[in-house]
Amino acid sequence: MPIARVATRAAKGVEAPQVLVEAHLSNGLPAFNLVGLPEASVKEARERVRSAIINAGFEFPMRRITINLAPADLPKQGGRYDLPIAIGILAASGQLPLKSLDEHEFVGELGLSGEVRHCTGILPVIIAARQRGIKLVLPQDNRSEADLVGYQQCCLAQHLQHIAAYLHGQQTLPGIVPGTEWLEQSKPHSSDCLSEVIGQYQAKQALEIAAAGGHNLLMLGPPGTGKTMLASRIISLLPPMSYEEALEVAAIHSVAGMATEPGEFYRRPFRAPHHTSSAISLVGGGSIPKPGEISLAHLGVLFLDEIAEFPRKVLDCLREPMETGHVIISRAAAKLRFDARFQLIAAMNPSPCGDAGPGSRASPEQIRRYLARLSGPFIDRFDLTIEVPKLPPGALTSEAAQGETSEQIAARVAAARELQLSRAGVLNSQLGSKELKQAGFKPGDLAFLEQSVNQLGLSVRSFHRLQRVARTIADLQLSPMVERRHLAQALGYRAMDRLLASLQQL
């Protein structure tokens, strides 16, 4: 009996390596053997495939069936192998022509009636098929993800009978219509405007600097001063992603089992996990590694509200990804990499009672223990830390203008980002020490900055972060050189250092 070989794709993080499904029928007692490191969900395909073939009107061969999933050292999980296994059995038993399998890949889960059902994590499969230029047969229910890629060699199927008729040349399968007009109509727009936040002009300015340079921002303030509102408005200041960036983010969401809505395709992600989140949910992992919140916030914003309530060990897990822009999940079977170039925005109260000023119910020692929930190296990774104070009397009922709209600020942010990308190819928050030497600093101003850093007892990392923030301030003002006033303004965004220094004096 001939061996039928059917190509499909596995799930390995955001990658989709090719898997060859080999089907062989031999004489002997009827049996169905599945080899090639299948997980439990793949082993269950034996019963689904048997019922799907019979209920679709085909003959299930009463032979000794051996299915090999190659390569054998790659773990396979999920129901995506149902369809290629069924196609392989039908081809090996002579019910489908072997030659029709050439230049095709098949992915899909089968129902007992032969229906082809939706699969998660299909977007990396479509991207890999496009790179290879091969025809891909996938479930009709995955059409929305196929539309994101716009790959015209995708064939959409609803039933095993339709695929069999297609391989016999008796009918065609619907594909992707050229031109994804709905993507062009899905440019992001936000109903949240920064002008809705009453007062807090210094915080708004810091938010503009953070958006322009991709800097991490920590906001300190009593409850109800607008920290969460400010953080949620940063998305309205950021420019939309390019098509390739949006596709990269959508692939991560697809692996996590999250659908990408057309209207949200170009919109940068905004993730706000609860403070009870575990390290695995935040960073990623699990027995079958999945991307965590930091990867779901890739090229977008990760907002940690009430950050002092997060466990310290969980927060310290963010330190390395914040520097490298990715996280590596190591398991015995594989080592997976998930991109995580996110912008961290955090908010917290300055004390356990909510206020650290005069009349606070918390003692200096209680405030020290509360702030000690954030480790020094973790705080060091914030480029800006600002105070968000209570509003002055009369601010809530005043009819004065609330300031610029998000659209006006976003225009300056976009112009500053264009300057950064044209100058160094990356945002200022990603500049290395070598690039900082060519960023337009005067030697005398750098000596002033170094003296200030030494007086404040800051680290070398803080010295470089202050340079990056000052460069962003200069870019927003369209200044080719970084002046001392820009450095002085950057030094003003060190509220946490001032708070810690004042506690040491008590």
Side-chain angles (χ1 to χ4, degrees), residues 109-401:
E109 180 180 336
L110 288 177
L112 298 184
S113 64
E115 177 189 5
V116 184
R117 292 179 174 171
H118 177 274
C119 287
T120 60
I122 214 74
L123 195 56
V125 174
I126 303 173
I127 296 174
R130 182 185 65 172
Q131 293 173 347
R132 192 180 172 193
I134 195 170
K135 288 186 178 181
L136 177 64
V137 179
L138 68 157
Q140 174 74 34
D141 292 341
N142 287 105
R143 184 190 186 100
S144 60
E145 292 175 288
D147 282 334
L148 294 179
V149 183
Y151 182 47
Q152 299 180 26
Q153 294 296 319
C154 287
C155 300
L156 306 173
Q158 290 182 321
H159 201 276
L160 184 59
Q161 291 178 336
H162 301 160
I163 299 175
Y166 165 73
L167 295 176
H168 277 291
Q170 298 173 352
Q171 75 172 55
T172 60
L173 293 177
I176 304 301
V177 179
T180 53
E181 297 179 357
W182 61 274
L183 280 180
E184 296 302 323
Q185 299 172 359
S186 66
K187 294 297 183 181
H189 63 279
S190 176
S191 58
D192 297 330
C193 184
L194 199 59
S195 62
E196 298 171 355
V197 181
I198 300 174
Q200 306 298 1
Y201 299 108
Q202 184 186 18
K204 291 179 181 179
Q205 189 176 35
L207 201 67
E208 178 182 348
I209 296 170
H215 302 291
N216 300 324
L217 171 66
L218 173 62
M219 294 180 284
L220 294 163
T225 55
K227 301 185 296 295
T228 303
M229 285 187 67
L230 286 165
S232 63
R233 265 66 177 175
I234 192 173
I235 290 296
S236 64
L237 308 182
L238 298 174
M241 295 183 289
S242 65
Y243 175 75
E244 292 301 328
E245 289 177 333
L247 199 59
E248 187 178 343
V249 172
I252 297 176
H253 287 207
S254 176
V255 170
M258 299 171 56
T260 301
E261 298 296 331
E264 302 294 324
F265 182 65
Y266 290 104
R267 184 182 176 88
R268 296 186 181 273
F270 181 87
R271 305 292 300 180
H274 194 259
H275 62 259
T276 56
S277 300
S278 65
I280 291 179
S281 67
L282 204 61
V283 178
S287 57
I288 300 175
K290 295 288 186 180
E293 291 290 340
I294 63 174
S295 295
L296 296 176
H298 179 55
L299 299 179
V301 174
L302 177 69
F303 175 51
L304 301 183
D305 200 3
E306 303 295 345
I307 191 172
E309 302 300 330
F310 282 81
R312 180 168 176 168
K313 291 183 178 180
V314 173
L315 294 178
D316 284 341
C317 291
L318 302 179
R319 285 158 51 182
E320 185 179 352
M322 288 171 68
E323 295 291 330
T324 61
H326 64 266
V327 60
I328 296 178
I329 309 296
S330 296
R331 293 292 180 267
K335 181 181 291 187
L336 304 181
R337 167 177 166 153
F338 295 107
D339 287 332
R341 296 197 305 274
F342 62 93
Q343 182 177 357
L344 179 60
I345 306 295
M348 65 178 292
N349 299 325
S351 72
C353 70
D355 197 349
S360 174
R361 292 182 287 108
S363 66
E365 183 58 31
Q366 289 176 321
I367 297 176
R368 288 192 195 97
R369 287 200 301 268
Y370 178 76
L371 297 178
R373 296 180 182 180
L374 307 182
S375 66
F378 179 71
I379 295 176
D380 212 22
R381 279 159 170 83
F382 284 98
D383 303 315
L384 305 98
T385 59
I386 62 169
E387 295 180 15
V388 185
K390 294 181 179 179
L391 294 175
L396 294 176
T397 56
S398 174
E399 297 181 358

Side-chain angles (χ1 to χ4, degrees), residues 83-94:
L83 179 59
I85 289 173
I87 295 294
I89 292 174
L90 293 176
S93 60

Side-chain angles (χ1 to χ4, degrees), residues 469-483 486:
V469 172
R471 180 65 265 181
T472 300
I473 296 172
D475 288 334
L476 284 169
Q477 299 177 8
L478 304 179
S479 174
M481 297 295 295
V482 180
E483 302 176 6
H486 300 142

